[in-house]
C-alpha cells in the first residue's frame, strides 16, 4: 500500500481483545495514543467453571472499535494493524462457521475462554504422561492451555463438535485470519499454548500420547500447518470484506498476532528509563519483569539463555522479544478476585452509594478511605499486618501449577521462584487495568521490595499491538526496532 505524503501523520491501529471487552487504539509513529474506543463482548457461563463466547460477536466488536478510532483520519494514513487477545479456543467447521462447544448446541457459542476450567481432568491426564514436551510448560499442563481443552471436546462432544470441527484457532490467530484470510499462525500462540516447538515443529509423539493423534492428519491443518513470527505481514493485508467491515483500505498491512499479556510485555519491557535512577538502568533488559495485570496477571521475565522454572511456563524463544527466551508466571484471578472480595462484602451496597454521591470510582473511594484509616503513618500495609487473603480462588497457575489449589502467596512467590532459577529481576514494569489502582501498585512494591515503573502512556497493551502493525507495514525492520522507537517517548514514574 502506497505511503501517504510526508506531510501527513502515519498511524497504526492496535486491537486488544480482553476477557470482557474489545479495545482499539490509534497510535502515532512516536508511540502516543491519539484515540481509543472500547466495546463490550458477551460472556456466557452455562455451568460452573465454564465460560464461553462468540467469535462472531468478538469480531463485530473489533470492527466497531476500529471504525471509531479511525473515523477522524484519512484511511491512507493508517499504515498497519496488530491484534492481541486472550488465549481462548475458537472452533470453526470446514466452511469457517462457528461450531457449538456445549451440550446445548447453541452454534454462536463457539469460543472456550481461557478461564474455562472444564478440562481440569484432561490437563491432569496430560501431565501424568510425563511427556518431554511438558518441560516447556513448567512440567504441568494447565487447563488454560489448548491441548486439554481439545481433549475435552473429543471426549465429551465427539459427534456434535469434534467431528464437525475443521479449524481450531487460538483467538489471536482467529482475529488475524478474519482480517486477512491467511491461515498462518503466530509462534506466540502456538509455542506458549499448544506446545509447538519452532525448531522441531509439532511433536507427533506428544499428540499421540495424549490421544489426539487425529489432529496430525493433513499436515496438522486443523491446528496450524503454517507458522510465522509475531509482527509478520500476513497475506495481502486487509481483505476486501474486512476492509468494508472496518472501513479501512483493502491491503492495509495486518500483523501476525500476540497473546494479550505478551503485547503488554512488548509495550513496556523495553522502555527508556534513563535518568530515573532505577536499578535496571544501564542493565540488560533481562533485569526487568513485565507484570500485565487485569482479570488475571501474567509475570513476564526474559533471559539470554533458556531457564527452566518449576511451575512457570516456558522457556519460549522469540515469542515476545526477538532473540530472547521468555518465562511466564501468572495468577488466574487478580482483578476478578478483588471484585469478588469487594462486591461480596456486606458493606458493598453502602460503599457504592457513598462513591456515587461523590461521583468517583468505587475503588478510588475505598482507597481514600483506607488512607484515612492509616492516619499519620501513611503506611496502608499496616492495616493488614495480621490479615492474609489467599489469592488462588481459581487455582494456582504459578509456581505450584495446581488448578485445584485455593491458597498461596502470589506475586512474591512467583518472583522468588524465578530468581532462584537464574533470573536477575531488579525492577517491575506494570501495565493493564489494575496498574491504574495506586494501592495495588504500592502493594506490589511493598511486598516484593522492588521499584515499580509505570508508563504515563497507560495503554501499553494497545501500544504493543500497534507495534505489530508498524512492523507489518514495513515502516520498521523488525518488532525490536519498532518497539524501541515506540517506547522511546514513554515516560515512567515509580514507587
Amino acid at each position: 500500500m502506497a505511503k501517504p505524503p510526508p506531510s501527513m501523520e502515519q498511524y497504526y491501529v492496535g486491537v486488544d481483545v480482553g476477557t470482557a471487552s474489545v479495545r482499539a487504539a490509534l497510535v502515532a509513529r512516536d508511540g502516543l495514543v491519539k484515540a481509543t474506543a472500547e466495546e463490550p463482548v458477551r460472556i456466557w457461563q452455562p455451568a460452573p467453571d465454564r465460560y464461553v463466547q462468540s467469535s462472531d460477536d468478538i469480531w463485530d466488536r473489533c470492527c466497531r472499535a476500529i471504525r471509531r478510532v479511525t473515523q477522524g483520519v484519512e484511511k491512507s494514513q493508517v499504515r498497519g494493524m496488530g491484534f492481541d487477545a486472550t488465549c481462548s479456543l475458537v472452533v470453526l467447521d470446514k466452511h469457517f462457521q462457528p461450531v457449538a462447544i456445549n451440550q446445548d448446541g447453541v452454534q454462536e457459542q463457539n469460543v472456550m475462554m481461557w478461564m474455562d476450567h472444564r478440562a481440569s481432568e484432561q490437563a491432569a491426564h496430560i501431565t501424568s504422561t510425563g511427556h518431554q514436551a511438558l518441560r516447556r510448560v513448567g512440567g504441568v499442563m494447565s487447563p488454560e492451555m489448548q491441548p486439554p481443552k481439545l481433549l475435552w471436546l473429543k471426549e465429551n462432544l465427539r459427534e456434535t463438535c469434534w467431528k464437525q470441527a475443521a479449524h481450531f484457532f487460538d483467538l489471536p490467530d482467529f482475529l488475524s485470519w478474519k482480517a486477512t484470510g491467511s491461515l498462518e499462525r503466530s509462534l506466540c500462540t502456538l509455542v506458549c499454548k499448544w506446545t509447538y516447538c519452532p525448531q522441531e515443529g509439532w511433536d507427533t509423539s506428544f499428540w499421540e500420547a495424549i490421544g489426539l493423534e487425529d489432529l496430525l492428519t493433513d499436515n496438522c491443518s486443523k491446528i496450524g500447518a503454517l507458522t510465522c513470527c509475531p509482527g509478520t505481514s500476513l497475506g495481502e493485508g486487509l481483505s476486501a470484506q474486512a476492509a468494508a467491515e472496518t472501513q479501512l483500505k483493502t491491503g492495509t498491512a495486518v500483523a501476525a498476532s500476540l497473546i494479550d499479556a505478551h503485547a503488554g510485555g512488548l509495550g513496556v519491557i523495553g522502555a527508556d528509563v534513563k535518568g530515573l535512577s532505577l536499578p535496571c538502568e544501564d542493565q540488560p533488559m533481562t533485569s526487568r519483569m513485565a507484570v500485565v495485570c487485569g482479570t488475571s496477571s501474567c509475570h513476564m521475565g526474559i533471559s539470554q539463555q533458556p531457564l527452566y522454572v518449576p511451575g512457570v511456563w516456558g522457556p519460549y524463544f522469540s515469542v515476545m522479544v526477538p532473540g530472547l527466551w521468555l518465562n511466564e508466571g501468572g495468577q488466574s484471578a487478580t482483578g476478578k478476585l478483588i471484585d469478588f472480595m469487594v462486591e461480596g462484602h456486606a458493606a458493598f451496597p453502602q460503599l457504592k452509594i457513598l462513591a456515587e454521591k461523590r461521583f468517583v470510582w468505587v475503588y478510588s473511594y475505598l482507597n481514600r478511605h483506607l488512607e484515612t484509616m492509616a492516619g499519620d503513618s501513611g503506611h496502608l500495609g499496616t492495616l493488614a499486618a495480621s490479615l492474609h487473603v489467599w489469592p488462588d480462588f481459581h487455582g494456582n497457575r504459578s509456581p505450584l501449577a495446581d488448578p485445584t489449589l485455593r491458597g498461596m502467596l502470589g506475586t512474591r512467590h512467583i518472583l522468588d521462584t524465578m530468581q532462584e532459577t537464574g533470573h536477575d529481576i531488579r525492577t517491575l514494569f506494570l501495565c493493564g487495568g489494575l496498574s491504574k489502582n495506586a494501592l495495588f501498585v504500592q502493594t506490589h512494591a511493598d511486598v516484593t521490595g522492588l521499584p515499580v515503573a509505570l508508563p504515563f502512556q497507560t495503554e501499553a497493551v494497545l501500544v504493543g499491538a500497534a507495534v505489530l502493525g508498524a512492523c507489518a507495514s514495513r515502516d520498521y525492520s523488525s518488532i525490536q526496532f519498532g518497539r524501541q522507537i515506540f517506547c522511546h517517548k514513554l515516560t515512567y514514574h515509580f514507587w
Side-chain angles (χ1 to χ4, degrees), residues 147-218:
K149 286 179 164 64
L150 293 166
L151 186 57
W152 189 95
L153 292 174
K154 181 177 180 179
E155 293 179 347
N156 293 273
L157 299 176
R158 181 183 293 267
E159 298 299 325
T160 59
C161 176
W162 190 254
K163 290 185 177 180
Q164 303 301 318
H167 303 279
F168 296 104
F169 283 102
D170 217 281
L171 181 55
D173 290 320
F174 165 80
L175 296 172
S176 58
W177 164 77
K178 193 72 174 174
T180 65
S182 171
L183 290 172
E184 285 189 275
R185 313 289 182 100
S186 170
L187 285 176
C188 179
T189 58
L190 293 191
V191 173
C192 295
K193 304 302 177 184
W194 299 69
T195 74
Y196 185 84
C197 180
Q199 295 86 351
E200 303 167 9
W202 292 110
D203 187 334
T204 58
S205 67
F206 170 74
W207 296 96
E208 290 168 352
I210 67 174
L212 290 177
E213 63 281 351
D214 37 347
L215 293 177
L216 301 173
T217 60
D218 193 22

Side-chain angles (χ1 to χ4, degrees), residues 270-278 280-283 288 429 487-488 490-492 494:
D272 183 357
V273 294
K274 290 180 181 178
L276 295 181
S277 300
L278 290 171
C280 66
E281 187 174 344
D282 298 323
Q283 296 295 317
R288 308 175 178 195
F429 289 72
C487 291
H488 180 73
L490 298 182
T491 308
Y492 283 70
F494 62 94

Side-chain angles (χ1 to χ4, degrees), residues 226-288:
L226 303 172
T227 65
C228 62
C229 294
T232 301
S233 182
L234 295 176
E236 300 298 322
L238 202 62
S239 68
Q241 180 175 341
E245 293 169 334
T246 59
Q247 296 179 5
L248 293 177
K249 292 180 70 68
T250 300
T252 300
V254 178
S257 55
L258 282 171
I259 299 167
D260 54 352
H262 300 67
L266 181 68
V268 299
I269 204 167
D272 183 357
V273 294
K274 290 180 181 178
L276 295 181
S277 300
L278 290 171
C280 66
E281 187 174 344
D282 298 323
Q283 296 295 317
M285 204 185 309
T286 53
S287 66
R288 308 175 178 195

Side-chain angles (χ1 to χ4, degrees), residues 104-172:
D104 56 16
V106 179
Q107 186 179 3
E108 69 171 329
Q109 296 177 17
N110 70 316
V111 179
M112 192 183 302
M113 294 183 67
W114 66 270
M115 61 184 183
D116 187 307
H117 278 200
R118 75 179 75 179
S120 293
E121 291 184 8
Q122 286 74 19
H125 165 70
I126 294 172
T127 298
S128 72
T129 66
H131 195 278
Q132 61 182 3
L134 297 172
R135 191 174 179 223
R136 295 190 295 273
V137 294
V140 179
M141 178 57 64
S142 168
E144 295 176 13
M145 292 184 172
Q146 307 304 3
K149 286 179 164 64
L150 293 166
L151 186 57
W152 189 95
L153 292 174
K154 181 177 180 179
E155 293 179 347
N156 293 273
L157 299 176
R158 181 183 293 267
E159 298 299 325
T160 59
C161 176
W162 190 254
K163 290 185 177 180
Q164 303 301 318
H167 303 279
F168 296 104
F169 283 102
D170 217 281
L171 181 55

Side-chain angles (χ1 to χ4, degrees), residues 270-272 285 467 479-489:
D272 183 357
M285 204 185 309
V467 168
I479 285 180
Q480 185 88 337
F481 184 68
R483 179 189 52 74
Q484 290 170 345
I485 298 297
F486 272 48
C487 291
H488 180 73
K489 295 291 185 178

